[in-house]
């Protein structure tokens, strides 16, 4: 068991843990690689046409198996995650969660995916068990076969779902009317194609976009979209995305570090069907052996939604005094070489303070009526041990560099992150540029 630490270490643990998760978040956010095949010869498309083709994909039913493989260059954390006796159930649960986080960042796994309209299921296959997420209108289930627990998430009985939908539709119509009113005479809002063209123009300033070699993914003919940064100041060498040649769906993708031969991260379908799955795969009824928990999703009321929007608009006003107290990240550079800087207090507030309430939506006791406070799912000792295992000393702090992302924790309490080498983060931290 990791020794408990108190005093200043508590603050450090609470502010450092969220930043450790950055590489995981980056990895999971990137959809990966395909087999080039000389026999595949799809109709030629320009990069613009291929992006438009993928954007127009309208797939509402599929089933298949996805594989993820990660080689991010993190150290071996087997000994750190080896476990040991715990003095509480909370510590044991925290250790399990930490282990899952590390496995997502450093390991490989397979998952089955099912989709049919409003129904979806994700089945993550572990060595001796599986975890399932079931989504359907009005409820969701998270099921862990190893611990035999099933958590049902549903909308609270008193939630005004129809009222919220109507209010969101009204706000969308109002925003469109305001945008149209602000256009010069004779001009109209841009079409989807015009928006896509503008996005590609902006992308072209930082990224070379091209069409690669046609190939096959999960038995289907696929195009290959290739994105290469136009700067050598980033760790990212290229991103390749496989796009189904028939319906434009994303089938796979890979992210390769600069100068590397093999992808640092890749995920994609090994088999896929775009026919509607058997409805039975979306059905779940917990057996008597499962421990069942019920949780209601805290939807806001229409009044709360309106108040939040009013508050957000007030903060956006240049003269609003409230903006002086809001945590704001500092952004250095641009494009692929962008570095984001946060001070430790901001990290703590973003990850704990907002969830703990205290804003306009807080009740008389200071608790947020919509988003109740939750503690980080890690013990303090484990958080600090993980930080020490992942990072190395550098000038002014400690740093983590994976194949695709670097994070710097400075001695004066700042966190800097970006898809750049650690030396670049150190330079930004020292110069503020």
């Amino acid at each position: 068991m990791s020794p408990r630490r108190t005093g200043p270490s508590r603050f450090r643990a609470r502010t450092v843990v969220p930043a450790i998760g950055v590489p995981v978040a980056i990895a999971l956010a990137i959809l990966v690689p395909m087999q080039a095949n000389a026999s595949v010869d799809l109709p030629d498309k320009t990069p613009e046409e291929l992006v438009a083709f993928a954007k127009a994909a309208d797939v509402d039913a599929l089933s298949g198996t996805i594989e993820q493989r990660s080689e991010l260059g993190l150290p071996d954390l087997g000994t750190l995650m080896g476990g040991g006796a715990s003095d509480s159930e909370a510590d044991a649960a925290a250790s399990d969660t930490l282990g899952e986080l590390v496995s997502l960042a450093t390991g490989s796994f397979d998952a089955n995916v099912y989709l049919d309209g409003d129904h979806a299921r994700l089945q993550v296959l572990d060595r001796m068990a599986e975890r399932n997420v079931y989504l359907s209108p009005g409820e969701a289930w998270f099921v862990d076969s190893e611990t035999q627990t099933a958590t049902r998430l549903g909308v609270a009985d008193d939630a005004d779902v129809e009222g919220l939908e109507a209010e969101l539709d009204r706000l969308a119509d109002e925003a469109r009317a305001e945008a149209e009113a602000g256009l010069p005479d004779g001009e109209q809002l841009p079409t989807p194609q015009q928006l896509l063209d503008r996005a590609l123009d902006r992308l072209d300033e930082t990224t070379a976009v091209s069409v690669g070699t046609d190939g096959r993914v999960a038995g289907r003919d696929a195009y290959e979209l290739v994105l290469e940064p136009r700067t050598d100041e980033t760790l990212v060498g290229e991103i390749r995305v496989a796009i189904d040649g028939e319906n434009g769906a994303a089938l796979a993708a890979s992210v390769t570090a600069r100068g590397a031969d093999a992808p640092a991260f890749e995920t994609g379908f090994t088999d896929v069907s775009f026919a509607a799955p058997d409805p039975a795969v979306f059905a779940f009824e917990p057996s008597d052996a499962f421990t069942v928990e019920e949780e209601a999703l805290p939807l806001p009321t229409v009044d709360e939604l309106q108040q939040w929007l009013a508050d957000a608009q007030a903060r956006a006003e240049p003269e609003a005094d409230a903006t002086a107290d809001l945590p704001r990240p500092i952004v250095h550079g641009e494009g692929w070489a962008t570095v984001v800087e946060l001070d430790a207090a901001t990290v703590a507030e973003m990850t704990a303070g907002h969830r703990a309430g205290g804003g306009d939506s807080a009740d008389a006791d200071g608790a947020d009526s919509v988003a109740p406070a939750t503690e980080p799912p890690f013990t303090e000792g484990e958080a600090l041990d993980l930080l020490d295992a992942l990072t190395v000393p550098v000038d002014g702090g400690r740093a983590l560099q994976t194949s695709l992302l670097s994070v710097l924790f400075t001695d004066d309490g700042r966190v800097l992150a970006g898809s750049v080498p650690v030396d670049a983060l150190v330079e930004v931290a020292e110069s503020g540029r």
Side-chain angles (χ1 to χ4, degrees), residues 20 111 150 156 162 190 217 286 289 341 346 360 379 399:
I20 292 175
E162 292 183 358
V217 174
E341 176 184 342
T346 296
D360 292 325
T379 63

Side-chain angles (χ1 to χ4, degrees), residues 226-412:
V226 183
L227 293 85
E228 297 178 87
R230 294 189 184 277
T231 175
D232 58 4
E233 296 179 358
T234 178
L235 295 173
V236 179
E238 66 175 19
I239 296 176
R240 293 177 179 265
V241 181
I243 297 172
D244 190 282
E246 180 180 343
N247 57 37
L251 296 176
S254 64
V255 187
T256 303
R258 182 169 297 279
D261 296 326
F265 180 83
E266 54 186 347
T267 184
F269 284 102
T270 57
D271 65 80
V272 65
S273 168
F274 293 99
D278 185 336
V281 303
F282 302 111
F284 173 73
E285 185 67 31
S287 69
D288 294 339
F290 274 77
T291 299
V292 178
E293 298 180 353
E294 300 275 347
E295 294 188 13
L297 295 174
L299 293 180
T301 65
V302 172
D303 289 341
E304 287 172 335
L305 176 61
Q306 292 172 339
Q307 184 62 52
W308 291 348
L309 293 173
D311 293 342
Q313 185 175 9
R315 289 194 298 268
E317 296 296 333
E319 65 275 10
D321 295 336
T323 58
D325 298 327
L326 290 177
R328 292 183 180 274
I330 301 173
V331 179
H332 306 274
E334 59 185 4
W336 294 92
T338 298
V339 172
V340 177
E341 176 184 342
L342 296 170
D343 60 65
T346 296
V347 175
E349 184 172 354
M350 291 176 65
T351 58
H354 290 321
R355 288 181 295 175
D360 292 325
S361 61
D363 59 23
D365 295 325
D368 195 319
S369 60
V370 176
T374 57
E375 288 295 320
F378 311 97
T379 63
E380 296 164 12
E382 285 172 333
L384 293 170
D385 288 345
L386 181 57
L387 176 65
D388 290 341
L390 288 173
T391 61
V392 296
V394 296
D395 290 342
R398 296 187 66 87
L400 158 70
Q401 179 171 320
T402 72
S403 301
L404 303 173
L405 184 82
S406 298
V407 183
L408 171 65
F409 307 91
T410 67
D411 293 335
D412 58 8

